[in-house]
Amino acid sequence: MSVIDYLLVPVSLFPIVRQLIVSNFTTFSDHAFLHIQLSLLCNKQNSTRFPDDENREKLSQDKFKWNDELKEQCRDCLLNNMEKINMCRERIDFDGQQLLDNSLDEFTSTLNDIMAPFFKKRTINFKSCRSNICDDKPWFNAQCKDLHRRYINCLNIFNRLKSQLNHSNLIRAKKDYKTLERRLKREYMRTEGNMLDIMRLTNPKLFYKKFKRKASPKHAVPLKLFHEHFKSLCSSDTDAVLDDSQFNNTDVYMLYAYSCYDFGK
């Protein structure tokens, strides 16, 4: 209500600024965000829009995954197609923006045809973020919902009519909602912490299971190599040397456990 909103650009960029709008207030910030519309000369992104089952638009884009093992093959393929790449370079036309864009598109397409067979293609679909809403606030009870609804109503009223009275009501409603939400969150986190503390004392197995890795790491050293290594260490006539680079930290612990079991037996 008392801040001047503006956009700073050089004088040379004045012609491309089509619109500047101070948008309505939202729940994400205490400030109203700015909507700027620019007129730029650029090609459309290589993507496809198509309607989904819920009559909403989603964006599809192709991406390629680099494989470092195929680096030499890619290099050889580029050298074999160097004549085709040089032809695209020679056909570059700098007489106009459209001709330059067409030359760039031709070069990109040629390079893509050469390199695409070596990489894994993956299509990514960008759906609306509102389709996958997860409940990440278990402390959000009925009282908190009522205050949140009141806060949203005051926000909408203030956006329609920015008066001093509506602004005061908005500030009061937001403060009540945020204060209750922070208090409920602190109580929930304190309760969860106490439950974990009790579980640690009464049921340690279940406690450590909650923090256990979901996927066990893969070990590079097979069990047979363990056996051969310790067998050679125990023999008096053979001195076996094992490269330490084959082991990681987890394998060292497994070596220690295996040695204790083998020597104890």
Side-chain angles (χ1 to χ4, degrees), residues 31-45:
H31 305 277
F33 61 92
L34 301 181
H35 176 86
I36 302 105
Q37 182 178 353
L38 305 176
S39 177
L40 303 175
L41 294 176
C42 60
N43 292 331
K44 293 184 178 180
Q45 194 178 14

Side-chain angles (χ1 to χ4, degrees), residues 46-59:
N46 185 18
S47 58
T48 306
R49 290 186 177 273
F50 54 93
D52 57 5
D53 296 337
E54 300 180 3
N55 294 326
R56 291 194 303 265
E57 285 187 331
K58 60 183 180 180
L59 188 64

Side-chain angles (χ1 to χ4, degrees), residues 31-92:
H31 305 277
F33 61 92
L34 301 181
H35 176 86
I36 302 105
Q37 182 178 353
L38 305 176
S39 177
L40 303 175
L41 294 176
C42 60
N43 292 331
K44 293 184 178 180
Q45 194 178 14
N46 185 18
S47 58
T48 306
R49 290 186 177 273
F50 54 93
D52 57 5
D53 296 337
E54 300 180 3
N55 294 326
R56 291 194 303 265
E57 285 187 331
K58 60 183 180 180
L59 188 64
S60 174
Q61 189 175 19
D62 295 334
K63 287 194 173 183
F64 297 90
K65 184 177 180 181
W66 170 262
N67 189 350
D68 197 60
E69 298 178 356
L70 302 178
K71 181 168 56 177
E72 295 298 328
Q73 299 183 28
C74 293
R75 179 177 178 276
D76 294 339
C77 189
L78 284 174
L79 293 176
N80 295 333
N81 292 272
M82 190 57 64
E83 183 179 356
K84 186 184 299 185
I85 296 176
N86 290 332
M87 290 178 59
C88 293
R89 182 177 60 85
E90 294 173 358
R91 286 198 294 265
I92 295 179

Side-chain angles (χ1 to χ4, degrees), residues 35-188:
H35 176 86
I36 302 105
Q37 182 178 353
L38 305 176
S39 177
L40 303 175
L41 294 176
C42 60
N43 292 331
K44 293 184 178 180
Q45 194 178 14
N46 185 18
S47 58
T48 306
R49 290 186 177 273
F50 54 93
D52 57 5
D53 296 337
E54 300 180 3
N55 294 326
R56 291 194 303 265
E57 285 187 331
K58 60 183 180 180
L59 188 64
S60 174
Q61 189 175 19
D62 295 334
K63 287 194 173 183
F64 297 90
K65 184 177 180 181
W66 170 262
N67 189 350
D68 197 60
E69 298 178 356
L70 302 178
K71 181 168 56 177
E72 295 298 328
Q73 299 183 28
C74 293
R75 179 177 178 276
D76 294 339
C77 189
L78 284 174
L79 293 176
N80 295 333
N81 292 272
M82 190 57 64
E83 183 179 356
K84 186 184 299 185
I85 296 176
N86 290 332
M87 290 178 59
C88 293
R89 182 177 60 85
E90 294 173 358
R91 286 198 294 265
I92 295 179
D93 195 341
F94 295 95
D95 292 339
Q97 182 67 39
Q98 187 62 37
L99 297 176
L100 183 61
D101 292 340
N102 294 337
S103 301
L104 180 60
D105 290 340
E106 181 184 0
F107 176 79
T108 304
S109 178
T110 303
L111 191 63
N112 183 63
D113 293 339
I114 297 173
M115 305 294 289
F118 297 97
F119 303 104
K120 182 179 179 181
K121 183 179 179 181
R122 184 163 57 100
T123 302
I124 302 177
N125 296 325
F126 301 95
K127 296 183 180 180
S128 175
C129 59
R130 300 183 62 88
S131 59
N132 297 322
I133 299 178
C134 58
D135 186 13
D136 59 346
K137 295 183 178 181
W139 60 84
F140 209 81
N141 57 14
Q143 183 182 3
C144 201
K145 291 181 180 179
D146 293 338
L147 290 181
H148 181 264
R149 192 179 300 110
R150 177 190 167 197
Y151 166 47
I152 296 299
N153 291 335
C154 293
L155 179 64
N156 295 332
I157 294 174
F158 175 72
N159 285 328
R160 288 194 298 267
L161 179 60
K162 293 179 175 58
S163 64
Q164 187 65 38
L165 177 61
N166 293 337
H167 185 259
S168 301
N169 294 336
L170 172 62
I171 296 299
R172 189 181 305 108
K174 182 178 181 179
K175 181 180 179 181
D176 295 340
Y177 164 66
K178 292 295 183 180
T179 302
L180 178 62
E181 185 186 30
R182 286 193 294 266
R183 181 172 62 83
L184 293 176
K185 182 179 180 179
R186 286 195 302 268
E187 293 177 355
Y188 173 80

Side-chain angles (χ1 to χ4, degrees), residues 235-251:
S235 61
S236 58
D237 55 345
T238 305
D239 293 331
V241 179
L242 195 62
D243 188 6
D244 294 339
S245 61
Q246 301 180 22
F247 298 91
N248 52 31
N249 293 333
T250 307
D251 298 328

